[in-house]
Amino acid sequence: MAKGKIQKKSGYHHGNLRGQLVNAAGRLIEQNGPDGFSMSDACRLAGVSTAAPYRHFSSKQDLLTEVAMDGLRRLGEDMERQASGHPRGTVQSIAAIGRAYVGFAIREPHTFRLMFSTKEHAGRIDELKAVGRGSYGVLLREVAGYLGEPEINETVLRWSFPLWTQVHGLSFLSIDGKLEVTDFPVDINESIYIATERLLPAME
Amino acid sequence: MAKGKIQKKSGYHHGNLRGQLVNAAGRLIEQNGPDGFSMSDACRLAGVSTAAPYRHFSSKQDLLTEVAMDGLRRLGEDMERQASGHPRGTVQSIAAIGRAYVGFAIREPHTFRLMFSTKEHAGRIDELKAVGRGSYGVLLREVAGYLGEPEINETVLRWSFPLWTQVHGLSFLSIDGKLEVTDFPVDINESIYIATERLLPAME
DNA sequence: TTAACTATGTTATCGTTGTTAACATATGTT
DNA sequence: AACATATGTTAACAACGATAACATAGTTAA
């Protein structure tokens, strides 16, 4: 994202095919969804033959996994950034993390779905899990602060999990267009704040 | 599901191809996921040519939509059944609905995903939404009972929505294997009960 | 009974896709 | 300059979704 400059291939060789394929894949996935995405499309977009990607990725899934991991990292950054705009360890900062989470899902629904789908990433689940754990840490630290816990212990884990569950569910319901099923206008930010409050212990 | 008897084609014509295709599709999807599912596989399983399904379904997506709607209906039935095992309008009955929801997701993860994916069902979203609304009603009625509301009004809707969000998130995290990211053993039923309690107003 | 109609199959074929093998050309190292 | 390695290409494959042209079964009306 935010690449802009499309690098032209200067002849037989390309220069930065790997990066540009991830880039193209990201854009195409956001347009057509992970299923609608085809390796051939990405090749056309990058101006190379359909066999070229296999010098950089062992399969289509492999490329998708790359896109997913990139997304997970960016999600973590978003959460960190949003949280830092509020006093640490408060309902506000924790709700801000939730807003970042759902916001990402709404902004890049297909990538978000890809990030949390198992089947596409067979064989590299551990890698993916590690990146995910990193991003989850942002929430854990904030909750630890709220609870006044000096480190990330089981208490922190127990209070954090329902918060994750909540925003995760809200994300999916949003991007799958299920909010209309509820028959009343859901204000996402309000939803997040209310649930965050209810799912945390009152602290003084 | 629970079909068992595989109907043999008695010659040129088949007898119940439509039903058997939905059936086969359901089974195959649960094995390989909606993406791994191929029309051809379903045909092989039903013992017909690859062109035959198009007498009954306009496209592969159309068949998948059928499977999804069937799933939504069965989910509603599950919830109803589980709720009815408890005193109406209690935390217990509401938590039971949640357990039915997550239970379905875990039992038929691929079908569950299919039920809540938008892209596969382009053009028939309204149909799907109607079926979904029906199943959601089970929760709404139970919450109305808990709140002592005589009908499903906005108050009921407002208290119900976070409950849905919660179990929906828990479902997806479960079937996507993300529970391990939390680093402590999540007891799903306990999770549901705790969150249900916290997300409902204390009623006396 | 038979003729016509409709529903539901088949075979043959198309374009697209993911992937691999065999080959070609750059780039970097000795 | 010679070679090794990285990175492209072209050609081919099987599998898939879908359509068209054709065949047969079941149903209805004369």
Side-chain angles (χ1 to χ4, degrees), chain A residues 12 22 72 75 120 124 140 177 181:
Chain A
Y12 199 92
V22 176
L72 281 175
L75 171 59
E120 328 260 5
R124 303 181 63 187
L140 293 179
V181 174

Side-chain angles (χ1 to χ4, degrees), chain B residues 125-148:
Chain B
I125 327 180
D126 289 336
E127 254 179 284
L128 210 71
K129 204 179 291 179
V131 181
R133 226 184 280 261
S135 299
Y136 190 44
V138 177
L139 174 63
L140 294 179
R141 280 191 292 279
E142 214 60 35
V143 171
Y146 178 86
L147 297 174

Side-chain angles (χ1 to χ4, degrees), chain A residues 113 171-179, chain B residues 116-118 168 172:
Chain A
R113 238 186 293 266
S171 297
F172 270 105
L173 291 180
S174 298
I175 66 183
D176 286 334
K178 301 299 182 212
L179 295 192
Chain B
F116 290 98
S117 93
T118 330
H168 194 69
F172 270 105

